Amino acid sequence: MSTQTGASQAQGRAKAMPASDNLVRVLLENSHEGIALIDHRGCLRQVNQAFMNLSGLSRSDLVGHHVLRWLDQPGDDDLLEAIGEEIWQSGLWQGNINRILAHGAAFKVDLKINAILPHHDGAVRNYLVQARPEAVVQANAENNRSQSRDPLTGLPLRLLFEDRLQQSLSQASRHNVCVGAMFLELDADRLKLIRDSLGQTAADDMLREVAVRLDNCLRTSDSVARLSEVGFALLLSDLKDPLEAVRNASVVARKVYESLMHPLDVNGQPVELKAAMGITLFPQDGRTPSELLINAETALNHAKSRGWNNYEFFSAEMTETARKRFELETSLRLGIDRGELRLFYQPQVDLDSGEVIGAEALVRWMHPERGLVPPGDFIPVAEETGLIVPMGSWVLRTACKQIYEWGQMGLKPVRVGVNLSALQFKRQDLAAQVEGLLKEFSIDPSMLDLEITESAIMDDVDRAVAMLNRISALGVKLSIDDFGTGYSSLSQLRQFPFKTLKIDRSFVLDIDNNDGDAAIVSAIIAMAHSLNQSVIVEGLETEQQLNIMRGLHCNEMQGFLFSAPLPAEKFTELLQAGRRLES
């Protein structure tokens, strides 16, 4: 081929090249951002001048070579594998790498790798690499931050919120969890009234206080933003499975309303707010930030149609679930005040003598319309809402009163075990409360047995030890409940003044068929006895289970084999009849 012919052909190709391709090439070469194209094998195909500047290498040193040549540590296969795994799952990898140039200059580079649209056969052939010095990225971020936050409240505005939402959705897709997007709107008429009557400064102060209260309702991993004058958005990340997502979103919604229901002090005037909220969940209600926010606004409008201080899930099914839960919470709150709670007693039997020596007090709820509500329906709601604290106080008082009444009847004394919730243990001065009840009802302290789970005491061991020692000094018996379901060991529990250990029923269900369960129970009993602790086994239902526990030298049993939980009057009859467990 002659030179002239080659030149002519080159000119022909240049003339045939579309003007748009030339424009793209010019834009890439003049970009201040390093840009490169790599193929599916990781080899660099194209680089622009900014990319070469960042690498300290020439075009010939880069094009045709593996991208790892450009990284800080050549041959770092772990990094490439991590990048590849991230791109395979989400189509995007973003992070920082270290660069050291030939003359020794060192700096960090912000790197982003995107998978380019798949080939017609569905396979990704190429990846686009974007690189910028981290110092430039931080400077740009600082500049953007002032433009992406609300100057009044300091909260993120829509663009920043949607960016955070997108990041949360990407994480949720990789880890197969849910995300919640909540759209809250304040009553604009109330805000206008405040502005007209108290002035713009007062209205601004109120909005700043609303922002603080909303933020206080969230975890550190969540986020709140201001989308309009009276509109706010909340992001709930990492919500596990769909049912957990509905439950957690409902709890947050109630926290928000309870927070906003407390009057705000505006220029010395108490101001009450009204709000409504719409809730959407990823992935079931949408897969992009725009979809979720649009659906959240739709749900918000439905909530407002029912009046202020309501919330709606975008899904009708989820809304109904949340509404039933809220109705149950409201009914339970009223039920505690109206005296609808009942205390049942399940006998605890000495395995040597067969005598009833104790009982576990179990709370029940007698709903005026639904009848006896199963504990599994209302106990979790009580724990989530904090109602377990007043409920626990009622149980403790009622149990002490019952011990006193049995004593007045001349019945043989039996101790009564009362379960303490983790929240109740953390919030209250139980020692003072117990001491007051012992004096009020003049009962033998050894007849009261407080049952505490491992999880309730292991969060703050020092406080728990001090509290339990004070209670033990009163003469009250202490038991560790559901042993084996937590993460502690008997050696850890030695520092606590427990006298009894209760083996969780999960170890007993299949003990007659499972040698492993029998071995675990045997070891627990032996270790407890070595610490001078007695052992109660819960959930005994068959004679075979009973014989095994006797053979393992367990001290006491509790379960349907002897008796189901009984109302106070029925338990009284059992004591009067002197019923025993046959040998």
Side-chain angles (χ1 to χ4, degrees):
M1 181 186 296
S2 67
T3 304
Q4 183 177 1
T5 304
S8 300
Q9 290 178 343
Q11 291 174 0
R13 286 196 298 270
K15 292 178 180 178
M17 180 180 292
S20 59
D21 286 358
N22 277 328
L23 179 59
V24 170
R25 178 166 295 179
V26 170
L27 288 173
L28 291 180
E29 285 303 323
N30 287 278
S31 173
H32 294 293
E33 183 178 71
I35 298 175
L37 187 69
I38 60 176
D39 62 22
H40 65 284
R41 298 170 302 171
C43 290
L44 289 157
R45 293 182 53 193
Q46 293 183 31
V47 296
N48 70 348
Q49 185 61 49
F51 193 88
M52 289 186 283
N53 294 340
L54 283 173
S55 67
L57 300 172
S58 67
R59 192 183 304 274
S60 61
D61 288 331
L62 292 170
V63 175
H65 296 281
H66 201 280
V67 69
L68 285 179
R69 179 170 184 157
W70 187 74
L71 298 178
D72 183 30
Q73 299 175 353
D76 190 351
D77 294 332
D78 290 341
L79 178 59
L80 185 63
E81 183 178 346
I83 293 174
E85 178 69 18
E86 189 91 4
I87 294 176
W88 181 82
Q89 292 187 8
S90 65
L92 169 67
W93 182 87
Q94 186 169 2
N96 293 320
I97 63 167
N98 295 316
R99 287 297 306 133
I100 301 177
L101 300 181
H103 53 76
F107 58 95
K108 281 191 174 183
V109 175
D110 181 77
L111 192 65
K112 184 186 294 184
I113 304 177
N114 279 283
I116 298 177
L117 291 176
H119 195 258
H120 60 78
D121 62 1
V124 175
R125 293 281 190 265
N126 299 293
Y127 302 88
L128 181 67
V129 181
Q130 299 166 267
R132 289 182 296 173
E134 188 183 39
V136 174
V137 175
Q138 291 178 346
N140 291 339
E142 188 64 32
N143 184 49
N144 292 334
R145 191 172 293 118
S146 61
Q147 301 177 18
S148 59
R149 288 188 175 272
D150 175 32
L152 177 63
T153 63
L155 295 178
L157 295 172
R158 180 180 288 270
L159 286 178
L160 180 55
F161 180 80
E162 289 185 356
D163 181 64
R164 290 183 178 180
L165 180 54
Q166 180 59 64
Q167 293 180 36
S168 186
L169 298 185
S170 298
Q171 291 284 341
S173 296
R174 287 194 295 274
H175 301 294
N176 196 30
V177 296
C178 298
V179 172
M182 311 171 76
F183 205 140
L184 179 141
E185 185 176 302
L186 302 175
D187 182 358
D189 292 336
R190 181 62 58 90
L191 179 62
K192 183 177 183 300
L193 178 62
I194 293 170
R195 184 184 294 113
D196 293 345
S197 58
L198 300 177
Q200 182 64 48
T201 300
D204 290 346
D205 289 343
M206 187 201 76
L207 289 171
R208 277 191 286 265
E209 177 62 21
V210 168
V212 171
R213 293 192 182 188
L214 292 178
D215 190 58
N216 288 338
C217 292
L218 302 177
R219 304 166 298 174
T220 55
S221 58
D222 299 331
S223 183
V224 58
R226 189 181 182 197
L227 303 190
S228 65
E229 184 180 38
V230 293
F232 296 83
L234 289 78
L235 165 62
L236 309 180
S237 60
D238 192 19
L239 295 184
K240 309 304 179 188
D241 57 74
L243 289 178
E244 181 83 359
V246 174
R247 185 179 66 81
N248 284 348
S250 299
V251 169
V252 171
R254 295 308 311 164
K255 280 185 178 180
V256 167
Y257 284 135
E258 289 175 6
S259 175
L260 296 181
M261 281 169 60
H262 292 290
L264 286 78
D265 184 352
V266 181
N267 288 355
Q269 299 289 328
V271 175
E272 295 183 0
L273 295 178
K274 296 178 182 179
M277 188 182 301
I279 306 172
T280 51
L281 298 174
F282 168 89
Q284 50 265 53
D285 298 333
R287 291 187 168 271
T288 66
S290 59
E291 284 181 333
L292 289 172
L293 290 177
I294 289 172
N295 291 339
E297 190 167 8
T298 299
L300 167 67
N301 292 331
H302 281 282
K304 288 196 296 183
S305 69
R306 296 195 297 115
W308 289 105
N309 295 337
N310 281 301
Y311 66 90
E312 286 274 356
F313 281 93
F314 179 70
S315 164
E317 180 181 349
M318 291 183 183
T319 300
E320 186 61 24
T321 300
R323 183 174 293 118
K324 286 181 178 179
R325 183 195 174 283
F326 174 62
E327 290 174 353
L328 184 66
E329 176 192 337
T330 303
S331 297
L332 179 58
R333 195 181 299 273
L334 292 173
I336 294 174
D337 294 338
R338 293 172 179 172
E340 295 172 5
L341 298 181
R342 303 286 184 270
L343 213 54
F344 280 42
Y345 300 86
Q346 187 168 32
Q348 295 171 338
V349 182
D350 185 280
L351 288 181
D352 289 332
S353 66
E355 293 182 352
V356 175
I357 58 175
E360 180 179 5
L362 300 166
V363 66
R364 298 292 185 262
W365 179 20
M366 184 61 71
H367 192 278
E369 297 175 359
R370 298 175 56 181
L372 202 61
V373 181
D377 287 355
F378 71 89
I379 293 295
V381 174
E383 290 175 339
E384 292 163 10
T385 59
L387 290 175
I388 197 72
V389 175
M391 182 185 294
S393 296
W394 178 87
V395 170
L396 187 57
R397 164 174 285 278
T398 304
C400 289
K401 182 181 179 183
Q402 187 63 65
I403 294 172
Y404 166 78
E405 290 177 352
W406 282 333
Q408 292 297 103
M409 295 171 64
L411 294 173
K412 178 183 176 180
V414 293
R415 69 170 188 267
V416 176
V418 175
N419 293 284
L420 297 178
S421 71
L423 194 60
Q424 184 182 5
F425 187 75
K426 292 175 183 176
R427 283 191 181 181
Q428 295 183 320
D429 186 351
L430 283 172
Q433 184 180 11
V434 170
E435 184 176 14
L437 290 171
L438 293 176
K439 292 179 179 178
E440 179 181 350
F441 292 103
S442 300
I443 60 176
D444 181 352
S446 65
M447 292 297 100
L448 180 62
D449 181 5
L450 299 183
E451 301 181 4
I452 307 166
T453 61
E454 298 169 70
S455 59
I457 59 177
M458 299 310 293
D459 288 344
D460 188 346
V461 173
D462 292 340
R463 179 185 180 278
V465 169
M467 176 72 74
L468 294 178
N469 281 333
R470 287 176 58 196
I471 295 174
S472 179
L474 298 172
V476 173
K477 187 175 181 181
L478 295 170
S479 298
I480 185 71
D481 195 18
D482 296 339
F483 183 81
T485 60
Y487 298 98
S488 59
S489 64
L490 276 176
S491 60
Q492 289 177 292
L493 298 175
R494 291 178 63 181
Q495 58 191 311
F496 297 99
F498 291 117
K499 299 300 182 184
T500 304
L501 183 150
K502 298 188 75 173
I503 298 177
D504 186 67
R505 66 188 304 272
S506 61
F507 291 100
V508 182
L509 292 176
D510 198 35
I511 196 169
D512 47 353
N513 298 314
N514 190 321
D515 293 339
D517 284 348
I520 292 173
V521 171
S522 177
I524 292 175
I525 293 173
M527 292 177 67
H529 286 170
S530 71
L531 297 174
N532 296 318
Q533 295 176 342
S534 62
V535 180
I536 302 177
V537 61
E538 298 179 290
L540 285 192
E541 297 181 358
T542 68
E543 291 286 348
Q544 189 172 358
Q545 292 172 349
L546 173 63
N547 292 333
I548 291 174
M549 298 311 300
R550 276 178 166 156
L552 296 176
H553 306 292
C554 184
N555 303 100
E556 303 170 30
M557 66 81 69
Q558 175 182 334
F560 279 74
L561 176 65
F562 183 79
S563 173
L566 301 170
E569 59 272 16
K570 293 293 183 183
F571 191 87
T572 301
E573 293 174 5
L574 181 145
L575 293 177
Q576 291 171 332
R579 184 178 163 195
R580 301 164 60 94
L581 180 69
E582 296 182 4
S583 301

